[in-house]
């Protein structure tokens, strides 16, 4: 009865290479010189990201809240990270320097102390995820 309505969903995985040859190829394809691109407004260098935050099936960002210790310790969790979650942590530390941030290497999740779900969703949207 239900077998006819089910479809096989294939997942595509993005590969993130940080070798010198691949970084040079990306830099040469985006700019004519070998120097990294510099934004005029912020004066920061733009390097290729080594992580990707995949959206959910409903098209939402995978940022969730969780409460530990009977509701006294709120956490914000970013799930569905493909690639280097530690690089995402360092990018978040630039924006939120006073927030305690951990990386769960086993599940490849980033855990922030406090309820900052809306801020993190907005930050990820601005970053292009």
């Amino acid at each position: 009865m239900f077998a006819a309505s089910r479809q096989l969903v294939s997942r595509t995985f993005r590969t993130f290479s940080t070798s010198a040859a691949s970084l040079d190829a990306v830099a040469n394809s985006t700019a004519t010189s070998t120097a990294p691109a510099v934004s005029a407004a912020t004066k920061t260098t733009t390097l290729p990201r080594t992580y990707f935050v995949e959206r959910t099936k409903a098209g939402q960002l995978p940022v969730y809240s969780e409460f530990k210790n009977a509701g006294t310790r709120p956490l914000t969790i970013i799930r569905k990270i493909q690639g280097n979650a530690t690089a995402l942590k360092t990018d978040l530390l630039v924006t939120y320097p006073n927030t305690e941030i951990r990386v769960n290497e086993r599940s490849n999740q980033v855990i922030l102390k406090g309820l900052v779900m809306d801020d993190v969703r907005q930050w990820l949207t601005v970053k292009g995820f």
Side-chain angles (χ1 to χ4, degrees), residues 10-16 54 82:
S10 65
R11 295 184 69 180
T12 58
F13 293 98
R14 292 179 174 84
T15 57
F16 300 103
E54 183 182 355
Q82 295 179 6

Side-chain angles (χ1 to χ4, degrees), residues 16-34:
F16 300 103
S17 176
T18 57
S19 66
S22 65
L23 290 176
D24 288 340
V26 170
N28 289 334
S29 67
T30 58
T32 57
S33 67
T34 58

Side-chain angles (χ1 to χ4, degrees), residues 43-88:
K43 299 289 183 187
T44 59
T45 58
T46 309
L47 295 175
R49 285 193 278 269
T50 58
Y51 58 88
F52 180 77
V53 179
E54 183 182 355
R55 288 188 175 251
T56 63
K57 290 180 183 179
Q60 302 296 319
L61 287 168
V63 181
Y64 303 98
S65 64
E66 192 169 300
F67 296 93
K68 298 284 185 175
N69 297 346
T72 61
R73 193 173 115 205
L75 301 174
T76 301
I77 301 174
I78 304 172
R79 296 181 182 149
K80 300 185 92 171
I81 301 169
Q82 295 179 6
N84 190 359
T86 308
L88 175 60

